[in-house]
Amino acid sequence: MRSLSLVAPKRVRIYDVAQAAGVSVATASKALNDTGRMTDETRTRVKDAATRLGFRPNAMARALIQKRSFTVGLLTNDTYGRFTLPLMAGVSEALVDQGVSVFLCAIEDDPALAKIHVDAMLDKQVDGIIASGKRIDRQLPVDLENLSVPVVYAFTQAPANGVSLVSDDAAGSREAVEWLKSLGRRRIVHVTGPRSFASVEERAGAYRDAVGPTAEVLFGTWSEQWGHEAVAQLWDAAGETPDAIFCGNDQIARGVVDALRERGVAVPADVSVVGFDNWEIVAAATRPPLTTVDMNLKELGREAGRLVLALAAGETVEPGIRKLPCALVVRQSCGGGPRS
């Protein structure tokens, strides 16, 4: 029986690329790093040769040349991942084409753990840090000001001089209410979470502006149970019941739909229901599937990735809060077909 030996494939060196392109090693290096002076034809010939040969630049050498680590840290206290996972997917999409990797550090709400992770990121010489959280009105339990690397904040409160990205809750709320009104709904009630959340007040304010004097807001918790309790309050009270319920998140909306079904109230024939967040595992599993406002967290992540790279490259980025648009995802719970 013959023995088989496994031989690692020979690594393609920059010397091989230079030889294939008919240039010096120095010229090949400059062409691949988009530095130096040469014709476009030469630069293209070198890059084509590198692609044809399957050349992969040595990451450590590239980092030394460009004084970058080609890594970005994502710091979050959202250990459940409800907001961070879609955001991280967007960050990764923005960075992968730039040859930059992103690694996630979950800090819970522990200041000591947060400092350990930040120190580790700085030791690894990350090109930048993206800080994300569970709500837009609370800072992470760690001081990220005056670091040696740029910081971009996404879905968490930033310092006054920080660059911050959040979803446009008010615009999303208005879009949901206007859609319900376009379906002929006139008694629209808003069932939402705790008043202590800035996003709750922003969504409720936009709802009141859109509905007018008859606006009714029920504040509670972020839970399906609160959805059940809110329906009991509304249907057990004297007077006319709503023909539409706009909910502050998808969990509340699922509880509302279940409670209405238990009472024999048809959704959407009798009452339209709309949620907020577009949390797929909740919205898709609701019966009927839930119309909801998508916060576009993935796009938020893409923009955060783009901005942190711009800052790392020394570009000027104006501080302040940037609001990214939400989008209404129409499913069966509110009636009416998807918009064209």
Side-chain angles (χ1 to χ4, degrees):
M1 180 182 295
R2 292 188 304 170
S3 61
L4 296 177
S5 61
L6 298 178
V7 179
K10 181 183 176 183
R11 183 180 179 90
V12 178
R13 302 167 300 164
I14 194 168
Y15 171 84
D16 302 314
V17 175
Q19 190 174 46
V23 298
S24 68
V25 170
T27 298
S29 177
K30 291 174 184 177
L32 293 173
N33 287 294
D34 288 318
T35 60
R37 298 179 62 183
M38 66 190 71
T39 65
D40 290 341
E41 187 274 333
T42 298
R43 198 179 301 276
T44 299
R45 190 168 76 251
V46 171
K47 290 185 176 182
D48 287 347
T51 300
R52 187 172 66 254
L53 295 173
F55 173 71
R56 294 180 59 195
N58 182 283
M60 289 183 65
R62 186 171 58 140
L64 288 171
I65 292 170
Q66 299 189 20
K67 297 181 180 179
R68 291 180 54 190
S69 67
F70 293 91
T71 58
V72 166
L74 178 57
L75 197 70
T76 182
N77 65 345
D78 175 30
T79 51
Y80 191 65
R82 163 66 192 92
F83 303 105
T84 299
L85 291 180
L87 189 139
M88 184 174 180
V91 172
S92 297
E93 284 187 6
L95 300 183
V96 67
D97 288 341
Q98 306 299 319
V100 178
S101 300
V102 56
F103 62 92
L104 174 67
C105 291
I107 62 173
E108 300 178 358
D109 285 307
D110 186 338
L113 181 60
K115 187 177 186 310
I116 289 171
H117 280 310
V118 171
D119 289 344
M121 288 180 179
L122 297 178
D123 287 344
K124 293 178 184 296
Q125 298 183 316
V126 295
D127 295 329
I129 294 174
I130 297 172
S132 73
K134 297 176 285 190
R135 52 191 292 184
I136 62 174
D137 53 358
R138 293 283 174 84
Q139 289 187 333
L140 296 185
V142 62
D143 184 6
L144 298 176
E145 294 191 73
N146 303 314
L147 295 184
S148 57
V149 298
V151 179
V152 171
Y153 299 82
F155 208 75
T156 190
Q157 189 177 47
N161 62 345
V163 178
S164 177
L165 297 166
V166 298
S167 300
D168 193 340
D169 286 319
S173 183
R174 281 193 298 271
E175 185 174 5
V177 174
E178 292 302 330
W179 178 249
L180 289 169
K181 289 167 66 176
S182 74
L183 297 174
R185 305 301 183 175
R186 293 294 175 262
R187 301 183 305 281
I188 306 169
V189 172
H190 186 37
V191 178
T192 189
R195 285 179 181 269
S196 59
F197 281 68
S199 58
V200 167
E201 289 292 358
E202 190 167 355
R203 293 171 193 177
Y207 155 80
R208 290 189 186 99
D209 290 342
V211 170
T214 62
E216 181 180 0
V217 182
L218 276 64
F219 297 96
T221 60
W222 299 118
S223 68
E224 290 185 35
Q225 180 59 37
W226 166 231
H228 279 266
E229 293 171 7
V231 168
Q233 286 185 31
L234 291 166
W235 261 256
D236 293 346
E240 207 169 14
T241 54
D243 60 4
I245 301 177
F246 168 45
C247 301
N249 79 348
D250 292 343
Q251 288 167 284
I252 295 172
R254 182 169 177 173
V256 164
V257 171
D258 288 347
L260 290 172
R261 182 172 57 249
E262 290 165 6
R263 287 176 173 264
V265 179
V267 176
D270 300 325
V271 178
S272 293
V273 179
V274 175
F276 207 109
D277 289 348
N278 195 30
W279 192 2
E280 288 284 350
I281 61 174
V282 175
T286 303
R287 291 293 175 265
L290 186 63
T291 294
T292 180
V293 178
D294 192 321
M295 298 166 65
N296 281 336
L297 293 173
K298 197 171 182 181
E299 181 58 34
L300 204 94
R302 289 191 194 98
E303 184 66 4
R306 188 189 70 78
L307 287 174
V308 80
L309 285 187
L311 288 167
E315 298 178 23
T316 300
V317 176
E318 289 297 319
I321 298 174
R322 302 174 183 219
K323 293 188 176 184
L324 275 66
C326 297
L328 186 67
V329 179
V330 178
R331 299 188 180 95
Q332 288 93 326
S333 70
C334 66
R339 293 167 296 179
S340 58

